[in-house]
Amino acid sequence: MPILNLVKKLLKPGFGPDRKVQPRIYPRSEHPISRAQISPNALKVLYRLHKAGFRACLVGGCVRDLLLGREPKDFDVATDAHPEQVRRLFRNCRLIGRRFRLAHVCFGREIIEVATFRAAAPKAGGDWALEATTGRVLRDNVYGTIEEDAWRRDFTVNALYYDIADFSVVDYVGGMEDLRRGVLRLIGDPEVRYREDPVRMLRAVRFMTKLGFTLDPACEAPLSRLAPLLEDVPPARLYDEVLKLFLAGYGVQVFESLRHYGLFRSLFPLTDHALAREPDGFPLVFLAKALENTDRRLQEGKAVAPYFLFAALLWEPVRLEARKRQAQGVAPVMALQEAACEVITRQLEHVAIPRRISLPMREVWLLQPRFERRQGGRAFKLLSHPRFRAGYDFLLLRSESGEVDAELAEWWTRFQHADEATRRKMTAAPGRGRRRRSRRRGRKREQTST
Ligand code: ATP
Ligand code: MG
């Protein structure tokens, strides 16, 4: 009997990546994926691989989304053909990646990514290629079988294969059942999988929110404790992940969820610290408003510039720093400039914001005090600034969250739409004789409300 139990355990799905398990096969009649929903270019790639004698499947997000009746973002193919063999089959094919070679088959603007089945971490001299202290995977570049390929994926619902040979869905990990129940579950031991790659914690939040799934309790429990592991992830990778998290149209929920699990602190420690304050007993709502606005824009099909998002994410710590400096006697505009530098420099240790993003982000911040100087030619000059629109949108958010007077934002809204004569009137100095003095006084007043 004990032997029978052992055999049963070994055969049970979920036992581990080294075990041979029979996949559950869902034939075409038992799942809703139809070829009409699959990109014709992806089908071409699948058929040609199949005709050449290779195994060819759709895998990952596209299978998951098709099963849920959602439109996939892109179509990824997994195969037992090696990259060189894939290249020989397709003229329009490039091999990319040095560490792990992938084939990109290009059809105009659509790229079908073709990856060779891969095993989990290689065993070098019997050891997994894991980092000693954190358990992070350092190497992940060994070809394997479809089964090994399934086990190394993150969530069960992301490890389903649509096999072009017979149009069936192949499930090694119980993904179909989890999909049906709306559960997001890591394959294998959650703590081990988070330690191998802490970005999976962010992916958990992203997929939960995007799919409206619940996170399996065993995968949820270690999140807060393991959140600090994100600090070991290369900042460049976190930049990509932050964009995926906040620019998919559900940033408000993502933000709440990240804060709830203590993950936000590891990505944006300065913002987290600044948000912990509640000046005059009121919570700071600027960032929440900004994310709400971003989600709305995305839902309306409008673009959101990454620099605007990052400007919003880091505004509270910039304000806080600027205020500190002002209290030490630094002039306001200078205080703001220094604060911007300081916050960017410190943030780069966590999330690598590229210069093409951080430069316009800074500009948006530094434009803010200029909105308060309206007299004479200044308003006209600001209006023709290349970043005016972004700066003005940012001002609106500051006004909505009660940080600046609503009157100021309204004035700028009117000014933009006014005819030339009205604009001149709006910016006219109060009186000729007092012009010089009031200008000087004006400048003082403008020193400013960060
Ligand atoms: P999306 O629709 O957002 O693109 P996706 O599931 O396709 O979702 P990708 O980041 O494109 O996500 O990854 C493709 C697939 O690669 C995933 O479905 C998963 O199987 C696998 N994968 C991606 N990242 C990881 C990871 N960090 N650990 C393990 N497997 C991963
Ligand atoms: Mg994808």
mmCIF file of all heavy atoms in Angstrom, residues 60-61 64-65 73 152-154 158 197 200 203 206-207 210 237 244, ligand 1:
data_model
loop_
_atom_site.group_PDB
_atom_site.id
_atom_site.type_symbol
_atom_site.label_atom_id
_atom_site.label_comp_id
_atom_site.label_asym_id
_atom_site.label_seq_id
_atom_site.Cartn_x
_atom_site.Cartn_y
_atom_site.Cartn_z
ATOM 1 N N GLY A 60 1.063 30.191 -23.322
ATOM 2 C CA GLY A 60 1.145 31.371 -22.454
ATOM 3 C C GLY A 60 -0.085 32.255 -22.531
ATOM 4 O O GLY A 60 -1.217 31.766 -22.683
ATOM 5 N N GLY A 61 0.167 33.562 -22.473
ATOM 6 C CA GLY A 61 -0.916 34.534 -22.371
ATOM 7 C C GLY A 61 -1.979 34.402 -23.455
ATOM 8 O O GLY A 61 -3.164 34.593 -23.185
ATOM 9 N N ARG A 64 -4.351 31.453 -22.661
ATOM 10 C CA ARG A 64 -5.159 31.877 -21.509
ATOM 11 C C ARG A 64 -6.249 32.859 -21.949
ATOM 12 O O ARG A 64 -7.430 32.679 -21.631
ATOM 13 C CB ARG A 64 -4.221 32.550 -20.495
ATOM 14 C CG ARG A 64 -4.870 33.153 -19.290
ATOM 15 C CD ARG A 64 -3.918 34.135 -18.610
ATOM 16 N NE ARG A 64 -3.744 35.335 -19.420
ATOM 17 C CZ ARG A 64 -2.610 36.028 -19.504
ATOM 18 N NH1 ARG A 64 -1.530 35.655 -18.846
ATOM 19 N NH2 ARG A 64 -2.545 37.103 -20.258
ATOM 20 N N ASP A 65 -5.858 33.878 -22.703
ATOM 21 C CA ASP A 65 -6.828 34.903 -23.106
ATOM 22 C C ASP A 65 -7.886 34.341 -24.054
ATOM 23 O O ASP A 65 -9.061 34.684 -23.953
ATOM 24 C CB ASP A 65 -6.101 36.100 -23.725
ATOM 25 C CG ASP A 65 -5.311 36.893 -22.676
ATOM 26 O OD1 ASP A 65 -5.547 36.662 -21.471
ATOM 27 O OD2 ASP A 65 -4.463 37.721 -23.056
ATOM 28 N N LYS A 73 -2.940 39.837 -26.617
ATOM 29 C CA LYS A 73 -2.070 40.949 -27.007
ATOM 30 C C LYS A 73 -1.162 40.511 -28.147
ATOM 31 O O LYS A 73 -0.902 41.248 -29.076
ATOM 32 C CB LYS A 73 -1.221 41.335 -25.793
ATOM 33 C CG LYS A 73 -1.206 42.789 -25.507
ATOM 34 C CD LYS A 73 -0.576 43.085 -24.146
ATOM 35 C CE LYS A 73 0.718 42.331 -23.892
ATOM 36 N NZ LYS A 73 1.266 42.516 -22.554
ATOM 37 N N ARG A 152 8.317 25.105 -15.856
ATOM 38 C CA ARG A 152 9.139 26.264 -15.497
ATOM 39 C C ARG A 152 8.351 27.564 -15.606
ATOM 40 O O ARG A 152 8.833 28.634 -15.223
ATOM 41 C CB ARG A 152 10.388 26.335 -16.371
ATOM 42 C CG ARG A 152 10.084 26.891 -17.706
ATOM 43 C CD ARG A 152 11.229 27.246 -18.582
ATOM 44 N NE ARG A 152 10.642 27.619 -19.854
ATOM 45 C CZ ARG A 152 10.275 28.849 -20.169
ATOM 46 N NH1 ARG A 152 10.490 29.846 -19.357
ATOM 47 N NH2 ARG A 152 9.692 29.091 -21.320
ATOM 48 N N ARG A 153 7.137 27.505 -16.145
ATOM 49 C CA ARG A 153 6.344 28.736 -16.280
ATOM 50 C C ARG A 153 5.829 29.204 -14.931
ATOM 51 O O ARG A 153 5.925 28.478 -13.943
ATOM 52 C CB ARG A 153 5.213 28.510 -17.280
ATOM 53 C CG ARG A 153 5.786 28.381 -18.673
ATOM 54 C CD ARG A 153 4.813 28.115 -19.750
ATOM 55 N NE ARG A 153 5.556 27.929 -20.981
ATOM 56 C CZ ARG A 153 5.923 28.917 -21.789
ATOM 57 N NH1 ARG A 153 5.562 30.148 -21.541
ATOM 58 N NH2 ARG A 153 6.641 28.666 -22.866
ATOM 59 N N ASP A 154 5.282 30.423 -14.886
ATOM 60 C CA ASP A 154 4.937 30.970 -13.568
ATOM 61 C C ASP A 154 3.600 30.462 -13.023
ATOM 62 O O ASP A 154 3.550 29.723 -12.051
ATOM 63 C CB ASP A 154 5.022 32.507 -13.558
ATOM 64 C CG ASP A 154 4.303 33.178 -14.717
ATOM 65 O OD1 ASP A 154 3.656 32.466 -15.514
ATOM 66 O OD2 ASP A 154 4.366 34.418 -14.816
ATOM 67 N N ASN A 158 -0.977 30.188 -17.160
ATOM 68 C CA ASN A 158 -0.052 30.648 -18.203
ATOM 69 C C ASN A 158 0.721 29.484 -18.816
ATOM 70 O O ASN A 158 1.646 29.693 -19.587
ATOM 71 C CB ASN A 158 0.969 31.633 -17.613
ATOM 72 C CG ASN A 158 0.374 33.001 -17.383
ATOM 73 O OD1 ASN A 158 -0.734 33.270 -17.832
ATOM 74 N ND2 ASN A 158 1.103 33.857 -16.696
ATOM 75 N N ASP A 197 12.447 34.106 -8.844
ATOM 76 C CA ASP A 197 12.241 35.312 -9.633
ATOM 77 C C ASP A 197 11.189 36.195 -8.949
ATOM 78 O O ASP A 197 9.990 35.997 -9.118
ATOM 79 C CB ASP A 197 11.766 34.940 -11.043
ATOM 80 C CG ASP A 197 11.539 36.174 -11.891
ATOM 81 O OD1 ASP A 197 11.882 37.290 -11.437
ATOM 82 O OD2 ASP A 197 11.018 36.034 -13.012
ATOM 83 N N ARG A 200 7.811 37.697 -10.193
ATOM 84 C CA ARG A 200 6.546 36.947 -10.193
ATOM 85 C C ARG A 200 5.543 37.529 -9.195
ATOM 86 O O ARG A 200 4.348 37.382 -9.369
ATOM 87 C CB ARG A 200 6.811 35.468 -9.892
ATOM 88 C CG ARG A 200 7.490 34.780 -11.055
ATOM 89 C CD ARG A 200 7.888 33.353 -10.754
ATOM 90 N NE ARG A 200 8.681 32.830 -11.863
ATOM 91 C CZ ARG A 200 9.646 31.929 -11.735
ATOM 92 N NH1 ARG A 200 9.928 31.426 -10.552
ATOM 93 N NH2 ARG A 200 10.316 31.520 -12.794
ATOM 94 N N ARG A 203 3.919 40.125 -11.142
ATOM 95 C CA ARG A 203 3.063 39.482 -12.152
ATOM 96 C C ARG A 203 1.776 38.957 -11.505
ATOM 97 O O ARG A 203 0.711 39.003 -12.106
ATOM 98 C CB ARG A 203 3.828 38.350 -12.858
ATOM 99 C CG ARG A 203 4.959 38.894 -13.760
ATOM 100 C CD ARG A 203 5.795 37.790 -14.376
ATOM 101 N NE ARG A 203 5.082 36.887 -15.259
ATOM 102 C CZ ARG A 203 4.829 37.107 -16.540
ATOM 103 N NH1 ARG A 203 5.221 38.230 -17.103
ATOM 104 N NH2 ARG A 203 4.192 36.205 -17.267
ATOM 105 N N ARG A 206 -0.437 41.855 -11.263
ATOM 106 C CA ARG A 206 -0.878 42.277 -12.596
ATOM 107 C C ARG A 206 -1.970 41.358 -13.139
ATOM 108 O O ARG A 206 -3.013 41.815 -13.596
ATOM 109 C CB ARG A 206 0.315 42.291 -13.556
ATOM 110 C CG ARG A 206 -0.033 42.769 -14.947
ATOM 111 C CD ARG A 206 1.172 43.351 -15.631
ATOM 112 N NE ARG A 206 2.152 42.367 -16.034
ATOM 113 C CZ ARG A 206 2.093 41.691 -17.170
ATOM 114 N NH1 ARG A 206 1.099 41.877 -18.001
ATOM 115 N NH2 ARG A 206 3.039 40.821 -17.475
ATOM 116 N N PHE A 207 -1.767 40.058 -13.057
ATOM 117 C CA PHE A 207 -2.747 39.129 -13.636
ATOM 118 C C PHE A 207 -4.022 39.081 -12.803
ATOM 119 O O PHE A 207 -5.110 38.977 -13.350
ATOM 120 C CB PHE A 207 -2.147 37.729 -13.796
ATOM 121 C CG PHE A 207 -1.071 37.673 -14.845
ATOM 122 C CD1 PHE A 207 0.187 37.169 -14.553
ATOM 123 C CD2 PHE A 207 -1.314 38.142 -16.132
ATOM 124 C CE1 PHE A 207 1.179 37.122 -15.523
ATOM 125 C CE2 PHE A 207 -0.326 38.102 -17.104
ATOM 126 C CZ PHE A 207 0.920 37.586 -16.800
ATOM 127 N N LYS A 210 -5.810 42.200 -13.880
ATOM 128 C CA LYS A 210 -6.205 42.176 -15.279
ATOM 129 C C LYS A 210 -7.319 41.147 -15.539
ATOM 130 O O LYS A 210 -8.268 41.417 -16.264
ATOM 131 C CB LYS A 210 -4.972 41.847 -16.123
ATOM 132 C CG LYS A 210 -5.265 41.496 -17.565
ATOM 133 C CD LYS A 210 -3.972 41.307 -18.348
ATOM 134 C CE LYS A 210 -4.255 40.582 -19.650
ATOM 135 N NZ LYS A 210 -3.172 40.719 -20.627
ATOM 136 N N ARG A 237 14.798 45.842 -15.459
ATOM 137 C CA ARG A 237 13.676 44.923 -15.603
ATOM 138 C C ARG A 237 12.448 45.474 -14.885
ATOM 139 O O ARG A 237 11.317 45.343 -15.355
ATOM 140 C CB ARG A 237 14.087 43.556 -15.034
ATOM 141 C CG ARG A 237 13.070 42.514 -15.292
ATOM 142 C CD ARG A 237 13.585 41.103 -15.272
ATOM 143 N NE ARG A 237 12.446 40.220 -15.350
ATOM 144 C CZ ARG A 237 12.235 39.179 -14.555
ATOM 145 N NH1 ARG A 237 13.140 38.859 -13.650
ATOM 146 N NH2 ARG A 237 11.160 38.455 -14.695
ATOM 147 N N LYS A 244 4.147 47.968 -17.513
ATOM 148 C CA LYS A 244 3.074 46.983 -17.745
ATOM 149 C C LYS A 244 2.008 47.079 -16.658
ATOM 150 O O LYS A 244 0.824 46.933 -16.917
ATOM 151 C CB LYS A 244 3.645 45.558 -17.767
ATOM 152 C CG LYS A 244 4.377 45.237 -19.047
ATOM 153 C CD LYS A 244 4.673 43.750 -19.101
ATOM 154 C CE LYS A 244 5.874 43.472 -19.972
ATOM 155 N NZ LYS A 244 6.436 42.142 -19.743
HETATM 156 P P1 ATP B 1 0.416 39.378 -21.276
HETATM 157 O O1 ATP B 1 -0.921 39.171 -21.868
HETATM 158 O O2 ATP B 1 0.431 40.450 -20.263
HETATM 159 O O3 ATP B 1 1.525 39.466 -22.280
HETATM 160 P P2 ATP B 1 1.598 36.832 -20.777
HETATM 161 O O4 ATP B 1 1.123 35.674 -19.942
HETATM 162 O O5 ATP B 1 1.701 36.607 -22.245
HETATM 163 O O6 ATP B 1 0.657 38.054 -20.435
HETATM 164 P P3 ATP B 1 4.380 37.454 -20.887
HETATM 165 O O7 ATP B 1 5.180 38.317 -19.981
HETATM 166 O O8 ATP B 1 4.194 37.863 -22.292
HETATM 167 O O9 ATP B 1 2.964 37.272 -20.182
HETATM 168 O O10 ATP B 1 5.025 35.998 -20.811
HETATM 169 C C1 ATP B 1 4.653 34.946 -21.668
HETATM 170 C C2 ATP B 1 4.667 33.634 -20.914
HETATM 171 O O11 ATP B 1 5.984 33.335 -20.457
HETATM 172 C C3 ATP B 1 3.799 33.613 -19.666
HETATM 173 O O12 ATP B 1 2.473 33.304 -19.975
HETATM 174 C C4 ATP B 1 4.480 32.550 -18.824
HETATM 175 O O13 ATP B 1 4.104 31.269 -19.244
HETATM 176 C C5 ATP B 1 5.943 32.736 -19.178
HETATM 177 N N1 ATP B 1 6.632 33.643 -18.231
HETATM 178 C C6 ATP B 1 6.774 34.973 -18.368
HETATM 179 N N2 ATP B 1 7.436 35.510 -17.321
HETATM 180 C C7 ATP B 1 7.722 34.482 -16.506
HETATM 181 C C8 ATP B 1 8.405 34.385 -15.254
HETATM 182 N N3 ATP B 1 8.905 35.466 -14.650
HETATM 183 N N4 ATP B 1 8.522 33.148 -14.711
HETATM 184 C C9 ATP B 1 8.026 32.071 -15.321
HETATM 185 N N5 ATP B 1 7.369 32.101 -16.477
HETATM 186 C C10 ATP B 1 7.208 33.291 -17.084
#
